[in-house]
Amino acid sequence: MKLLATGGSGFIGSNFVRYILKKYPDYKVVNLDLLTYAGNLENLKDVEKNPNYKFVKGDIADKELAEKLVKDADIVVNFAAESHVDRSILDSAAFIHTNIIGTHTLLEAAKASGGKRFHHVSTDEAFGHLGPNDPPFNEKTPYAPRSPYSASKAAADHLVMAYYHTYNLPITISNCSNNYGPYQFPEKLHGLFITNLLEDKKVPVYGDGMQVRDWLFVEDHCEAIDKIIHEGKIGGTYCVGGNCEKPNIEITKKILELLGASEEMIEYVKDRPGHDRRYAIDFSKIKSELGWEPRTSFDEGMKKTVEWYKNNGDWWKKIKSGEYLEYYEKQYKPLRIRE
Ligand code: NAD
Ligand code: TYD
């Protein structure tokens, strides 16, 4: 099996590439990643020399490069995206480029190579947000995105589904809830709060801290994608969740507790504009169809995550100082077929 993972140098993609290489020693994995600010080769340093792994620096929206790599693969798993809501509020151009045009370019490449198997990694944020008593999102929930990030992901999901209906492209989509775990970029809630506290800095809780997210440990998400790409029903979408709804303030207090920090380190700051109030996922379809459910409890996942950041100061300190970007510019040149 030759698997093309796009965005494999980011948080979830790198966890997934490592997971696949370990679980399937005869699979070959090509990672196509543009190495934006969120992509980091150190995320896969431990597998860099594995003969079954190859890294290609490039843009999923580069038509010729996409065509070449998709043609060589048996399956495409599309993680590549701009993924941070706050950045999409400041400037959404890159979100339109990668999440919509990039996904479209990959779909065209999959169509051009005779209908390549295509799995698209998406988010529950495409469904919009919930009130406190609303039932959780499921596969039938209509899309109602509210941030430029979630709108761009929703657009991509619609394109993926359109390629299934129109061209019979063998696709699947997963809509997953919030992930946490090792290698998460330290601008997202867990990475930022843990590393801030390790640096003796305060943690910025938006608004009243009562926004609810459903949290899934990243390895469990990798396992769900593994199940879907091997056993998922073509044309199917799968809601993936952690059965772990928590308000942000509870996550914050858990991190403070695990690091022995006082609640004085909490700083309530101005709320995010259009801040989605609650996400929740009903994952009964993937549970009954594919036998997947989350394995990692909240306590276990939180402990593992905090320990990982404690033991990997080199990784996040280079990111927070910006040093990692200089390193990659020196080491790698973008691969562009046209040049
Ligand atoms: P991330 O921001 O950590 O990683 C994104 C990766 O994509 C980076 O390595 C980046 O360099 C690469 N990339 C960006 N633009 C590219 C382009 N044009 N061409 C090639 N590579 C490009 O994101 P993540 O948190 O790992 O999320 C991965 C996927 O999972 C995204 O599609 C995201 O929408 C989805 N998702 C994330 C979460 C979450 O909680 N993080 C939850 C559900 C779904
Ligand atoms: P985030 O990790 O950005 O994920 P998403 O917005 O995609 O759910 O944020 C998770 C929650 O944490 C979200 O409700 C916003 C909140 N948050 C803060 O309160 N402070 C912060 O500094 C960050 C980054 C997030």
Side-chain angles (χ1 to χ4, degrees):
M1 167 85 106
K2 286 190 269 176
L3 190 150
L4 174 64
T6 67
S9 301
F11 163 47
I12 305 173
S14 63
N15 277 282
F16 179 76
V17 169
R18 181 178 299 99
Y19 168 98
I20 290 288
L21 289 170
K22 189 170 170 210
K23 180 159 177 197
Y24 304 102
D26 55 337
Y27 280 23
K28 298 206 180 310
V29 178
V30 173
N31 166 20
L32 168 62
D33 196 298
L34 188 57
L35 295 183
T36 65
Y37 80 93
N40 187 342
L41 289 174
E42 288 199 15
N43 293 4
L44 285 172
K45 214 171 175 48
D46 51 328
V47 302
E48 178 174 83
K49 296 201 168 67
N50 183 325
N52 286 339
Y53 171 71
K54 189 176 159 212
F55 171 73
V56 176
K57 175 163 175 169
D59 188 339
I60 57 166
D62 181 333
K63 181 172 180 285
E64 285 161 71
L65 179 58
E67 274 175 5
K68 178 183 177 294
L69 296 177
V70 170
K71 194 168 162 227
D72 286 348
D74 298 316
I75 180 166
V76 181
V77 184
N78 183 27
F79 293 93
E82 287 294 331
S83 68
H84 192 46
V85 174
D86 293 326
R87 285 180 189 263
S88 82
I89 294 168
L90 292 172
D91 183 358
S92 51
F95 290 72
I96 307 305
H97 172 80
T98 294
N99 301 2
I100 306 180
I101 297 172
T103 301
H104 177 253
T105 309
L106 290 174
L107 288 166
E108 277 291 295
K111 174 162 82 80
S113 59
K116 199 69 74 174
R117 177 78 175 88
F118 193 96
H119 179 71
H120 182 66
V121 180
S122 192
T123 165
D124 62 354
E125 301 189 29
F127 297 122
H129 74 160
L130 299 166
N133 301 316
D134 289 336
F137 303 129
N138 65 30
E139 290 77 7
K140 295 198 171 73
T141 306
Y143 275 28
R146 293 165 26 96
S147 76
Y149 162 67
S150 53
S152 68
K153 292 294 291 183
D157 293 11
H158 287 313
L159 282 169
V160 175
M161 201 43 95
Y163 272 63
Y164 167 67
H165 290 299
T166 311
Y167 306 111
N168 281 325
L169 196 74
I171 64 93
T172 42
I173 299 176
S174 45
N175 294 95
C176 187
S177 61
N178 284 62
N179 285 212
Y180 68 104
Y183 298 101
Q184 187 160 31
F185 198 82
E187 68 181 353
K188 302 271 170 81
L189 181 69
H190 287 69
L192 181 71
F193 283 19
I194 296 169
T195 61
N196 270 12
L197 291 170
L198 289 171
E199 291 179 302
D200 212 22
K201 290 184 188 152
K202 291 198 169 192
V203 294
V205 172
Y206 296 163
D208 62 2
M210 288 308 291
Q211 303 82 6
V212 172
R213 299 289 181 266
D214 169 47
W215 292 99
L216 180 69
F217 191 61
V218 63
E219 270 171 35
D220 290 339
H221 187 189
C222 295
E223 207 171 280
I225 298 171
D226 176 13
K227 286 263 186 204
I228 297 167
I229 64 177
H230 288 100
E231 299 164 43
K233 192 166 156 262
I234 297 303
T237 68
Y238 292 90
C239 281
V240 179
N243 200 15
C244 181
E245 275 188 63
K246 305 268 180 215
N248 294 335
I249 195 65
E250 195 179 325
I251 302 290
T252 307
K253 288 185 179 167
K254 183 76 186 171
I255 295 172
L256 290 170
E257 178 200 312
L258 287 167
L259 287 170
S262 107
E263 290 189 14
E264 281 167 21
M265 297 307 276
I266 297 174
E267 188 177 6
Y268 287 93
V269 298
K270 194 165 168 276
D271 207 353
R272 171 188 281 173
H275 199 166
D276 288 346
R277 198 67 185 166
R278 173 176 167 240
Y279 307 139
I281 283 269
D282 168 0
F283 59 85
S284 48
K285 178 182 171 189
I286 188 170
K287 187 175 174 186
S288 63
E289 238 183 61
L290 306 181
W292 177 90
E293 59 186 321
R295 281 178 199 266
T296 314
S297 70
F298 176 65
D299 275 351
E300 191 189 343
M302 289 299 292
K303 263 192 215 136
K304 280 189 181 171
T305 305
V306 168
E307 276 308 299
W308 188 86
Y309 282 93
K310 268 167 109 176
N311 295 330
N312 288 276
D314 269 6
W315 180 87
W316 58 262
K317 280 178 191 156
K318 272 189 226 162
I319 294 176
K320 280 191 146 179
S321 71
E323 197 188 313
Y324 78 115
L325 291 171
E326 290 162 31
Y327 173 78
Y328 296 119
E329 283 309 311
K330 278 185 216 132
Q331 298 289 312
Y332 283 89
K333 295 256 175 289
L335 172 62
R336 295 210 190 280
I337 298 282
R338 259 177 247 119
E339 281 171 7

